[in-house]
Amino acid sequence: GQQVMQIPQYQHVQEGEDFTTYCNSSTTLSNIQWYKQRPGGHPVFLIQLVKSGEVKKQKRLTFQFGEAKKNSSLHITATQTTDVGTYFCAGPPSYGKLTFGQGTILTVHP
Amino acid sequence: DTGVSQDPRHKITKRGQNVTFRCDPISEHNRLYWYRQTLGQGPEFLTYFQNEAQLEKSRLLSDRFSAERPKGSFSTLEIQRTEQGDSAMYLCASSSGPGHGSYEQYFGPGTRLTVT
């Protein structure tokens, strides 16, 4: 079945450093979504990527979808303490249902 | 607040008891999802409704779990004869979209279940 692998599992950075998390799928994805979950909170939608090779930016966050639509990445430039949380990628192997990666836990040291 | 709401937020029960959780989605959303999340893991899909129809159910969901969405609005998730392994956060999400695309899902705050 559909598997979405995410690395690294943990990332500790100093405030101001960059951060990247990578997501790989065992099958081609029609699209991929990214969510952020703050400690003690629930997942919050960040973005959806649909097109092969697509790149989208949200302020300091850059999202990429691979050419083969089997991998994706999220890059944060100059992290801030407000970026702390777990970042999940999620692929839709079938109609509507999301398969989440294990997530990357980001901690930012001030 | 027009977001997804869930009730209760916390539930402690003894092994063998039945529990029921409620989810109220965003009113205009026709899709409703249930996920389960354990510590250090991503949400795991349980089941999915479009309007009142339950369209998909995870193979991981045992017969002790049942979900309903009788009028296409709120949904309930019942766990019968709870086991300690059922302890987790149960998340509800909703989205729009009548077609075959994927749409962003809005998650509720979750119900944390502890089975003692």
Side-chain angles (χ1 to χ4, degrees), chain B residues 4-54:
Chain B
V4 178
S5 61
Q6 292 187 245
D7 184 70
R9 296 290 304 275
H10 304 273
K11 179 70 177 178
I12 300 174
T13 190
K14 292 184 178 181
R15 187 177 55 185
Q17 297 294 305
N18 299 343
V19 294
T20 300
F21 310 141
R22 176 179 171 125
C23 170
D24 286 89
I26 293 171
S27 58
E28 60 267 29
H29 285 175
N30 61 349
R31 298 181 183 181
L32 186 148
Y33 311 82
W34 285 98
Y35 294 87
R36 177 172 60 191
Q37 186 176 28
T38 54
L39 196 63
Q41 299 297 316
E44 176 186 40
F45 172 78
L46 294 179
T47 190
Y48 150 59
F49 292 86
Q50 175 146 316
N51 300 314
E52 66 275 9
Q54 188 174 17

Side-chain angles (χ1 to χ4, degrees), chain A residues 29-33 48-50 65 69 90-92 98, chain B residues 101-103:
Chain A
L29 300 168
S30 59
N31 64 74
I32 193 163
Q33 298 181 1
Q48 176 171 288
L49 303 172
V50 179
F65 202 9
K69 301 183 76 172
L98 289 175
Chain B
S102 287
Y103 299 84

Side-chain angles (χ1 to χ4, degrees), chain A residues 37-56:
Chain A
Q37 186 171 23
R38 294 182 183 275
H42 56 275
V44 175
F45 175 83
L46 294 176
I47 207 160
Q48 176 171 288
L49 303 172
V50 179
K51 299 177 182 177
S52 170
E54 188 170 16
V55 178
K56 286 188 176 180

Side-chain angles (χ1 to χ4, degrees), chain B residues 93-104:
Chain B
S94 69
S95 73
S96 60
H100 289 269
S102 287
Y103 299 84
E104 60 187 273

